[in-house]
Amino acid sequence: MSRRLISLLVLALLTGPVAAHAPSDSYLRLAVEGATVEGRWDVALRDLDYALRLDADGDGAITWGEVRQRETEITALLRSRLAVEADTQRCTLDVAPLAVVQLNDGPYLSLPLQGQCATVPQRLTLRYGLFFELDPQHRGLLQLRLGDQTRLGVFAPDRRSLDFEAGVLSPGRAFRQYFREGLFHIAIGLDHLLFLAGLLLPAVVWRQAGGWVAAPRARDALVDVLRIITAFTAAHALALTLASLGVLTLPTRLTEAAVAATIVFAAINNLWPMVRRRLWVVAFGFGLIHGAGYASVLTDLGVSSTTLALALLGFNLGVEGMQVAAAAVFVPLAFLLRHRPFYQWGVVALGSAVVAALGGVWFVERAFNLRFTFF
């Protein structure tokens, strides 16, 4: 029985379709006035290079010349992955010359769009299918201005088309979609999962005077865990809100490297305790860093304050919900196993060492713009 519980615990912590912090997103801004469509589509050069192998000389850098040589192929790919329909009739969609723009997380290929629909749309349908066959974690983030109303949307492998009714604004739609993205952000974010593991592993057992001390009561352990993850989410929300509103602006490479450093600290703290009490304070501080690391996604989309507030609320509630769900699975299992040497040394000690090593590699990669891992 105990081996089965241990296996479930390890699987819950260390497996799954996960990815590191830097997301694969494209940013699609469209404005529909009458029957005219205008917009701009920004797609990360690193994603296009992965799909089309743009780096012809293999030197690790994509030059403007390499982009121009493949412009026809790039344009054909992007045009085949996006469609605009007005009342079920497909609108024309022309593209202007490509350009490269610098966003918070690197260079993007910017594709100006201009189109014409046969009628003024009462029902607008957008279809998006970029990179989903290569990367199921890719997302297309949409800002749509339809008449005098601004809407948000998220394209995903299971949500490749979005419908919008003219004159009908659904504030709950952006909330629901970003709530799901908050859940997704924790579920597939390997660095978030490892950071969470670093905080939760010692929830029921911790190092003291060269040995291990087991938590006497499950209730106390669960309360401590809830304090930690709630403090993390509150700080995550605060930093994300400030950064998205332009109050807090940090270099992406710096925040990504700092996120990796928090993972290393959380893991090492399990092996050689530097902070034992009030871990929720540490979690709050680290939540500020993790929130700033994701803020570039919404700032690059350039959403308005009202829609941004709904998106932020939904996203952060999704983050909290997934963390609470992870803790609800983890803490009871860990409490049952807390006296066993296998859990103390095999899960907490060895698991923390693995987390620290992986966090250290990420820190070097992100701080010095190197690439050692493929996740």
Side-chain angles (χ1 to χ4, degrees), residues 104 235-251 255 287-289 291-293 295-296 299:
N104 282 311
H236 190 276
L238 176 62
L240 186 57
T241 303
L242 291 177
S244 298
L245 294 175
V247 177
L248 174 66
T249 303
L250 295 173
T255 55
L288 293 173
I289 298 172
S296 61
T299 55

Side-chain angles (χ1 to χ4, degrees), residues 63-72 74 98:
T63 64
W64 177 240
E66 289 170 328
V67 172
R68 289 294 302 272
Q69 288 178 358
R70 307 284 296 278
E71 183 170 356
T72 302
I74 294 171
L98 301 177

